[in-house]
């Protein structure tokens, strides 16, 4: 009977140590080496449309030292935002043509269209469609980020 308890204890130890969760690995076509590094927000401009009618332009948001992305080689990413007033740790995916960029952290998922990407600057467009008080609302955010050395 003592042998059975020993065997069960050994089996339990093997099962618990063998169930380590591996970090997510994205396919190579969702990695873009052009993004690697730290990018500071230079400015953001928003446009808001309610039922297709454009609202007056809002003032652009000038980036601070707390508005940045950090993209790492293993697809880990950090987003710091004064708009969200939070630091997010997550993962990014970007196709090799760099026309799309997605950042995911927990329940937060942000998708961007990359309109320009060079060694020193990145321009992103984010489109948000919602319904507010029975009206169709579209918010388009235009971001310009500069690569930090």
């Amino acid at each position: 009977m003592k042998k059975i308890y020993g065997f069960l204890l050994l089996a339990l130890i093997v099962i618990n140590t063998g169930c380590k969760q591996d970090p997510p690995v994205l396919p190579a076509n969702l990695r873009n080496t052009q993004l690697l590094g730290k990018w500071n927000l230079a400015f953001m401009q928003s446009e808001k449309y309610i039922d297709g009618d454009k609202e007056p332009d809002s003032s652009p948001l000038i980036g601070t030292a707390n508005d940045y992305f950090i993209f790492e080689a293993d697809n880990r990413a950090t987003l710091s935002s004064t708009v969200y007033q939070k630091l997010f740790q997550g993962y990014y995916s970007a196709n090799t043509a760099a026309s799309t960029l997605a950042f995911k952290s927990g329940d937060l998922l942000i998708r961007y269209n990359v309109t320009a990407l060079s060694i020193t600057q990145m321009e992103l467009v984010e489109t948000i469609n919602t319904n507010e008080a029975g009206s169709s609302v579209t918010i388009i955010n235009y971001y310009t980020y500069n690569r930090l050395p």
Side-chain angles (χ1 to χ4, degrees):
M1 192 68 168
K2 291 180 183 179
K3 291 181 183 179
I4 292 175
Y5 289 125
F7 177 73
L8 290 175
L9 180 62
L10 180 62
L12 184 63
I13 291 171
V14 169
I15 290 171
N16 285 333
T17 58
C19 295
K20 181 181 172 195
Q21 187 171 357
D22 294 329
V25 177
L26 294 171
N29 67 332
L30 295 179
R31 296 180 184 154
N32 190 322
T33 56
Q34 289 180 292
L35 293 173
L36 299 181
K38 186 171 183 178
W39 298 81
N40 193 60
L41 178 67
F43 68 90
M44 177 186 96
Q45 179 68 48
S46 291
E47 295 178 354
K48 185 174 185 179
Y49 297 86
I50 300 177
D51 291 331
D53 295 327
K54 185 177 178 185
E55 296 250 311
D57 285 345
S58 61
S59 298
L61 171 69
I62 306 301
T64 69
N66 293 323
D67 294 301
Y68 60 84
F69 268 111
I70 299 175
F71 299 107
E72 299 181 36
D74 60 357
N75 286 76
R76 284 184 296 137
T78 302
L79 168 61
S80 178
S81 171
T82 56
V83 172
Y84 291 109
Q85 297 181 359
K86 193 170 179 185
L87 179 74
F88 297 96
Q89 300 288 336
Y91 290 88
Y92 73 95
S93 64
N95 63 11
T96 52
S99 61
T100 61
L101 169 64
F103 173 78
K104 177 150 180 54
S105 176
D107 291 337
L108 176 72
L109 174 62
I110 307 172
R111 296 183 187 276
Y112 303 97
N113 288 324
V114 181
T115 57
L117 178 62
S118 70
I119 294 173
T120 59
Q121 196 170 68
M122 173 173 58
E123 295 177 9
L124 306 173
V125 178
E126 174 189 26
T127 304
I128 304 166
N129 295 305
T130 62
N131 285 312
E132 294 177 9
S135 297
S136 173
V137 177
T138 301
I139 300 171
I140 304 172
N141 295 319
Y142 300 90
Y143 301 90
T144 300
Y145 283 86
N146 295 323
R147 185 190 300 269
L148 296 178

